[in-house]
Amino acid sequence: MGRVAKKTTTEKAPPIDKLLKPAAGVALAMLGYYFMKGMSAEIPRIDVNDQLALREVFFGEGASGKDFAVLCHPESKDGSVGLPVSSVFQDSHDDGTAPVEYVLIDCDHVLPDSGKSIYEKFKLNKKKRPTIFVSGRVGPPKQVPEKHLKTGAMLTKLLKQMLEPHAAKIEKAKDLKEKCLNKDVCGLLLKGGKPEPFVKHAMANLLGKYPSVQFASVDSTLLFLTNLEEYLPEYVAGEHRFVVFKKISGGLAEADGRLKTSIIPLEDSLTFNAMNSLVSNALNGKNLKNIPALPNIKTRTKKLEEAERQKRDRKKDQARRKAQEDQKPPQQTFSANDGSKEGRRLERERRRAEHNAENNVKPKTPEEIAEMEKRRRERMEEEAAKWNIEGEDEAEEGTSFEEEDEGSEGFEDIDGEDDDDVLDLD
């Protein structure tokens, strides 16, 4: 049988009138999008004659407690059309994700109290355009550098970094002291690698819950904290550690005195509940441990790790010996008196301690000991003077010792008989 050839059919294009409606809908949607994008919300302007409003913007005074992003923009006069608002400032405002309130202000206005313009009062560089500064609760006006004013997204990113709470990054010993140890309370995360999402979420929750507490992080894979590592769980790559500092006294200035701090290390696994409990205990002054020296930052090396491991071993040995001594019954505490020199010394010290405790005897100071020695010598001199009888043992004047010896010859024959009167019985 021969093969039957298939009939080919050609598909016809849909009618144009059927495509017009979808195309018109897409065009209208795009026009509406660009129209809505071009319609930017109007940015409010601060009245330069309102002193309360100015103080709220410049210094954050008032009940609002807001932060402000301020654009220096001259006010139009005589009903004329003013200068357009900076596109960078407008785009950042339209984004709306930065935690600030965007306002305009005429920085050429002269403040009546100082007789200076806003530019001069806060040392704003008028030549850097657009002139934008941040103020309010965060502090007095601080001008935004030009490198962050290229796009609205860059300005928004900077505002978030400046105003949103975040953990300080510590890379040097100076950073550790200024950003953490000198704060009233500081929570330090020692990263053992790249933080997991749950660690980031935990830190973000802590930052939101404790705005008065400074939080910071340090890369433990590269940096080693001396005078601190021995109090924390031993470093393991990939595992994070957490410790809370609470300042006791002092500061970084010489007039403040030596900076002293205390710590609460996290012994359990790293979770939000454990970290939250640790911060709460530090704020309430619970379970704090004073450390004799401030932590310092050095590059992690095997030599430092070995020295820290030896410190841990010594601490473990001390704790083990103390536990063994505590477990001994009282009568065996001084059983080392086996007659040796060391045993006798221990026995003397024990009896001396018991006597001092029973009679409330306090140890003498070096000054008291010196005074006692001085009085003892004075008494010895007085007693020696009493026993020194002058003149009795001296010979009479004009008499020699030989004459005294002659005067004593009369005592030689005191028995009264001569040797010749003795009978010889032989």
Side-chain angles (χ1 to χ4, degrees):
M1 275 179 76
R3 180 178 297 178
V4 179
K6 283 186 177 183
K7 294 182 180 180
T8 59
T9 58
T10 58
E11 296 181 357
K12 296 181 179 180
I16 296 177
D17 57 348
K18 292 184 178 181
L19 294 176
L20 287 176
K21 290 183 179 180
V26 172
L28 289 173
M30 293 179 66
L31 286 173
Y33 169 76
Y34 285 109
F35 177 76
M36 295 300 295
K37 185 178 179 182
M39 288 181 61
S40 300
E42 185 178 358
I43 301 175
R45 178 178 291 275
I46 299 298
D47 184 4
V48 291
N49 297 315
D50 188 348
Q51 296 297 322
L52 294 178
L54 288 178
R55 296 194 67 83
E56 181 182 5
V57 172
F58 293 151
F59 308 109
E61 296 181 1
S64 63
K66 296 179 182 178
D67 292 315
F68 295 89
V70 186
L71 171 65
C72 289
H73 187 267
E75 189 174 359
S76 60
K77 298 178 181 179
D78 301 331
S80 60
V81 179
L83 296 175
V85 175
S86 167
S87 60
V88 174
F89 193 77
Q90 186 70 57
D91 291 345
S92 179
H93 169 267
D94 296 341
D95 181 87
T97 58
V100 293
E101 185 171 335
Y102 295 82
V103 294
L104 306 177
I105 195 170
D106 186 2
C107 294
D108 289 317
H109 173 73
V110 177
L111 300 172
D113 296 340
S114 61
K116 299 179 180 179
S117 66
I118 296 175
Y119 283 114
E120 297 170 345
K121 174 69 175 178
F122 299 107
K123 299 179 181 179
L124 302 176
N125 191 342
K126 191 176 182 178
K127 295 181 180 180
K128 294 182 179 180
R129 299 287 186 173
T131 306
I132 301 174
F133 63 85
V134 180
S135 61
R137 184 183 58 180
V138 71
K142 184 177 181 181
Q143 189 169 358
V144 177
E146 279 185 313
K147 63 180 181 180
H148 300 288
L149 299 176
K150 295 180 180 179
T151 63
M154 294 178 67
L155 176 59
T156 301
K157 182 179 179 181
L158 174 67
L159 294 175
K160 287 182 178 180
Q161 292 177 352
M162 291 178 64
L163 303 176
E164 287 183 349
H166 62 279
K169 187 177 181 180
I170 293 178
E171 297 177 338
K172 302 177 182 178
K174 183 180 179 181
D175 297 339
L176 180 63
K177 290 181 179 179
E178 292 180 352
K179 299 179 181 179
C180 190
L181 299 180
N182 197 36
K183 305 296 181 181
D184 292 335
V185 179
C186 174
L188 181 63
L189 176 66
L190 291 87
K191 298 181 293 185
K194 185 178 180 180
E196 295 80 5
F198 78 91
V199 177
K200 296 181 180 179
H201 293 159
M203 289 295 291
N205 292 335
L206 290 173
L207 286 165
K209 187 173 182 180
Y210 300 101
S212 62
V213 176
Q214 174 68 57
F215 289 92
S217 64
V218 62
D219 189 358
S220 290
T221 61
L222 302 176
L223 302 176
F224 186 91
L225 275 77
T226 59
N227 304 324
L228 179 65
E229 296 272 354
E230 60 264 26
Y231 301 104
L232 306 179
E234 192 168 0
Y235 167 77
V236 178
E239 295 186 4
H240 313 294
R241 297 169 293 171
F242 187 70
V243 60
V244 180
F245 295 91
K246 186 170 185 180
K247 186 168 73 170
I248 299 174
S249 62
L252 299 180
E254 293 183 2
D256 298 334
R258 177 172 170 265
L259 179 60
K260 298 179 181 179
T261 188
S262 56
I263 63 170
I264 309 180
L266 180 63
E267 304 290 348
D268 303 328
S269 58
L270 193 70
T271 62
F272 170 75
N273 291 333
M275 297 165 73
N276 177 52
S277 176
L278 213 65
V279 175
S280 178
N281 288 340
L283 291 172
N284 296 325
K286 296 180 180 178
N287 304 327
L288 290 167
K289 181 177 182 180
N290 298 349
I291 54 177
L294 290 180
N296 196 10
I297 290 184
K298 294 184 178 180
T299 304
R300 180 173 289 276
T301 60
K302 293 183 178 180
K303 183 177 180 181
L304 289 175
E305 290 179 348
E306 181 61 27
E308 180 256 338
R309 193 174 296 111
Q310 293 177 0
K311 284 185 179 180
R312 289 180 184 275
D313 294 340
R314 287 196 296 270
K315 286 182 178 294
K316 290 179 181 179
D317 292 340
Q318 292 175 1
R320 183 171 58 253
R321 288 196 298 269
K322 185 177 180 181
Q324 292 176 354
E325 292 177 359
D326 293 342
Q327 292 176 357
K328 291 181 180 179
Q331 61 272 17
Q332 295 181 0
T333 304
F334 292 94
S335 60
N337 187 9
D338 53 357
S340 62
K341 182 178 180 180
E342 183 66 19
R344 293 194 302 271
R345 184 184 65 80
L346 291 175
E347 183 66 18
R348 288 195 302 271
E349 291 180 355
R350 181 185 69 82
R351 293 183 178 182
R352 186 181 297 110
E354 290 180 354
H355 172 78
N356 294 342
E358 292 175 358
N359 298 277
N360 194 22
V361 178
K362 297 181 180 179
K364 298 286 190 302
T365 63
E367 292 78 8
E368 292 176 343
I369 295 175
E371 183 65 22
M372 292 173 59
E373 180 66 18
K374 180 181 178 182
R375 293 178 181 176
R376 186 184 69 83
R377 291 183 179 278
E378 290 177 353
R379 290 197 302 269
M380 291 178 62
E381 292 176 358
E382 292 176 359
E383 293 296 328
K386 292 179 182 179
W387 286 91
N388 187 12
I389 304 175
E390 298 179 357
E392 290 185 3
D393 296 334
E394 296 179 359
E396 294 182 3
E397 190 174 348
T399 305
S400 63
F401 287 102
E402 293 178 357
E403 294 177 353
E404 289 184 358
D405 293 339
E406 291 176 359
S408 61
E409 289 178 359
F411 295 98
E412 291 181 2
D413 299 331
I414 195 168
D415 292 335
E417 284 95 3
D418 193 358
D419 293 339
D420 296 338
D421 297 335
V422 178
L423 294 175
D424 188 4
L425 297 178
D426 296 334

